[in-house]
């Protein structure tokens, strides 16, 4: 009955994230989607907006919980009494950053393990940044993000 924390900026949540959470839900007892207030990115959506979107998307997934957090990820994981950090891995290009982050988190707390799940090939080309770029210029992003995300993004960009 292992609890896995799936952290990210989720700006915005994409179908790649959703697919990963649903696959991981078959492996772990519970998943906490942890939306970061402090990430290395400057987000389009506020923390409250990103949390509300994820809550709506995972509303019917019984073992999935959504929460925003600030500060260090390992502190949040300890507060939630979880012992796994879950991350998705798309391509080799993700490896260096993920490796660095996993090692840093391990240095900060050796009792927490980072577990990677390979992203389904269908979402290999997707990232939050590329979806924002396409949407901003009026491109169609249907099928790449949940419908709710698509609507919110079009509002943000005044489309
Ligand atoms: N399918 C498709 N795309 C995916 C998938 C998937 N399954 N998983 C991730 N991606 C993409 C995302 O769309 C996103 O794209 P983008 O870079 O264009 O935005 C990218 O991969 C990764 O973004 P997120 O999944 O949102 O996660 P992110 O890397 O932003 O999360 C985190 C970083 C975990 C929030 C980190 O900054 C953190 O832990 N912050 C808290 C502070 C802390 O503890 N820092 C010390 C830890 S080390 C460190 O922070 C570097």
């Amino acid at each position: 009955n292992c609890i896995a924390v799936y952290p990210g900026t989720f700006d915005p949540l994409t179908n790649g994230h959703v697919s990963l959470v649903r696959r991981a839900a078959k492996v772990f007892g519970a998943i906490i989607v942890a939306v970061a207030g402090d990430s290395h990115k400057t987000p389009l959506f506020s923390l409250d907006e990103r949390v509300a979107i994820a809550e709506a998307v995972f509303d019917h997934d019984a073992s999935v919980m959504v929460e925003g957090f600030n500060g260090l990820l390992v502190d949040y994981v300890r507060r939630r009494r979880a012992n796994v950090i879950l991350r998705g891995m798309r391509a080799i290009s993700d490896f260096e950053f993920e490796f660095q982050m996993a090692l840093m988190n391990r240095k900060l707390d050796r009792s927490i393990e980072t577990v990677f799940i390979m992203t389904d090939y269908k979402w290999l080309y997707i990232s939050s940044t590329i979806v924002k770029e396409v949407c901003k210029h009026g491109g169609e992003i249907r099928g790449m993000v949940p419908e709710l995300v698509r609507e919110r993004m079009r509002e943000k960009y005044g489309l």
Side-chain angles (χ1 to χ4, degrees):
N1 254 342
C2 189
I3 302 176
V5 170
Y6 181 45
T9 311
F10 304 116
D11 183 52
L13 188 75
T14 69
N15 281 344
H17 294 123
V18 175
S19 146
L20 200 94
V21 167
R22 299 214 165 117
R23 284 170 59 211
K26 295 177 191 152
V27 178
F28 298 100
I31 311 280
I32 303 175
V33 177
V35 186
D38 300 319
S39 102
H40 50 284
K41 296 170 181 169
T42 312
L44 172 67
F45 290 96
S46 72
L47 178 58
D48 287 348
E49 288 171 321
R50 285 176 282 137
V51 168
I53 287 172
E55 274 173 347
V57 169
F58 294 112
D59 194 27
H60 297 292
D61 297 77
S63 64
V64 180
M65 209 194 98
V66 176
E67 194 174 48
F69 78 101
N70 285 296
L72 271 185
L73 174 61
V74 290
D75 290 337
Y76 173 76
V77 172
R78 273 194 295 252
R79 277 205 301 282
R80 284 285 153 265
R81 302 200 185 290
N83 35 20
V84 169
I85 293 171
L86 170 70
R87 292 284 290 174
M89 190 78 90
R90 280 167 303 174
I92 307 285
S93 53
D94 285 342
F95 184 80
E96 215 167 319
F97 174 65
E98 293 299 333
F99 190 52
Q100 186 183 27
M101 198 161 67
L103 287 178
M104 174 54 86
N105 287 329
R106 182 161 166 73
K107 177 82 185 158
L108 295 171
D109 189 329
R110 297 188 72 79
S111 68
I112 300 169
E113 288 295 348
T114 300
V115 172
F116 295 98
I117 292 187
M118 292 301 301
T119 298
D120 192 311
Y121 72 92
K122 281 185 271 182
W123 315 113
L124 270 183
Y125 67 99
I126 284 188
S127 78
S128 300
T129 303
I130 204 165
V131 162
K132 279 184 282 194
E133 180 74 12
V134 169
C135 184
K136 187 166 118 185
H137 298 294
E140 183 53 81
I141 56 164
R142 186 174 278 132
M144 301 176 197
V145 295
E147 194 49 30
L148 171 68
V149 172
R150 183 176 164 274
E151 285 163 17
R152 294 285 185 279
M153 285 181 80
R154 291 181 62 84
E155 281 165 23
K156 280 273 177 200
Y157 290 123
L159 296 166

